[in-house]
Amino acid sequence: MALRINDEAPDFSADTTAGPINFHEWIGDGWAVLFSHPKDFTPVCTTELGYMAGLAGDFAKRNTKIIGISVDPVESHQRWKQDIKDVTGHAVDYPLIGDPELKIAKLYEMLPASAGSSSEGRTPADNATVRSVFVVGPDKKIKLSLTYPMTTGRNFDEILRVIDSLQLTAKHKVATPAQWKPGEDVIITPAVSDEEAQAKFGGFTRPKPYIRVAKQPQG
């Protein structure tokens, strides 16, 4: 059964470039982004890990930790980090999980149970489905999951935008429309009566009977 939004993110213990972790304990009471890679020393993933390193401060401002995983040993990750810095100019200071027995890739349904139990001898194509992003909330539930093809680098600015929306909508009874950015108008959810919406949002517009638009709530 594939993992779905609002499923609990499977917990695990693993070695990382920052030492051993327990995933749920590592997340703590904040948010987390777990993003996976088919193999170390691959070109697209090199650019991705470096770009994420450059965004580390932006994620921290949102109380969000970032952690990468590749189905290679931690020692390989440590060597790869220098290449990433050489290519992108950003040092990878966030943890990279080693998964040489493919346990976490299988736990997160990124590889089938029949994939074997070792990363040794596997090519990037063998691990093509290990190209996912999971956003996990403070309740340890999956809030977003995306899987990309190997040839398409991920847009991590979009992940920041999604986290802004997730954090806003977790706090207020609103949803965000297509292409929404922080500070723009939001949609009031059906759980809010017109009277409550008037008091809470200081008024709203109704372009259609089922759509109520208001200014983004603050705080």
Side-chain angles (χ1 to χ4, degrees), residues 41-216:
F41 302 100
T42 49
V44 174
C45 295
T46 297
T47 65
E48 291 179 329
L49 268 74
Y51 192 81
M52 277 294 267
L55 291 178
D58 295 294
F59 283 100
K61 289 175 186 175
R62 293 162 171 82
N63 193 27
T64 302
K65 295 180 176 179
I66 54 179
I67 189 165
I69 176 172
S70 173
V71 292
D72 285 305
V74 168
E75 302 77 41
S76 175
H77 297 347
Q78 296 286 18
R79 296 193 304 272
W80 188 22
K81 284 168 66 174
Q82 185 58 54
D83 280 10
I84 296 165
K85 185 176 181 180
D86 291 345
V87 170
T88 68
H90 298 294
V92 175
D93 294 326
Y94 55 84
L96 298 177
I97 298 165
D99 190 28
E101 296 179 351
L102 314 181
K103 291 179 179 179
I104 301 165
K106 292 179 183 179
L107 185 65
Y108 274 75
E109 305 285 349
M110 295 184 285
L111 285 176
S114 59
S117 59
S118 175
S119 63
E120 191 71 28
R122 294 180 65 87
T123 68
D126 295 329
N127 305 329
T129 51
V130 189
R131 286 275 292 151
S132 296
V133 180
F134 297 94
V135 175
V136 181
D139 57 0
K140 313 304 182 287
K141 301 290 181 66
I142 294 172
K143 305 301 182 182
L144 171 139
S145 64
L146 296 168
T147 300
Y148 284 68
M150 287 199 303
T151 51
T152 302
R154 286 168 276 194
N155 184 338
F156 291 107
D157 294 321
E158 166 64 2
I159 304 304
L160 284 172
R161 190 191 75 90
V162 172
I163 290 170
D164 285 333
S165 174
L166 288 167
Q167 293 182 346
L168 177 70
T169 58
K171 191 172 183 179
H172 302 280
K173 295 177 181 178
V174 298
T176 56
Q179 305 300 113
W180 174 87
K181 297 182 182 67
E184 295 180 350
D185 290 353
V186 297
I187 295 170
I188 303 169
T189 65
V192 181
S193 69
D194 284 354
E195 293 75 15
E196 184 184 355
Q198 186 70 37
K200 184 175 179 62
F201 301 104
F204 58 88
T205 60
R206 196 192 298 266
K208 290 291 181 181
Y210 55 91
I211 301 175
R212 294 174 297 170
V213 177
K215 298 294 184 184
Q216 177 183 318

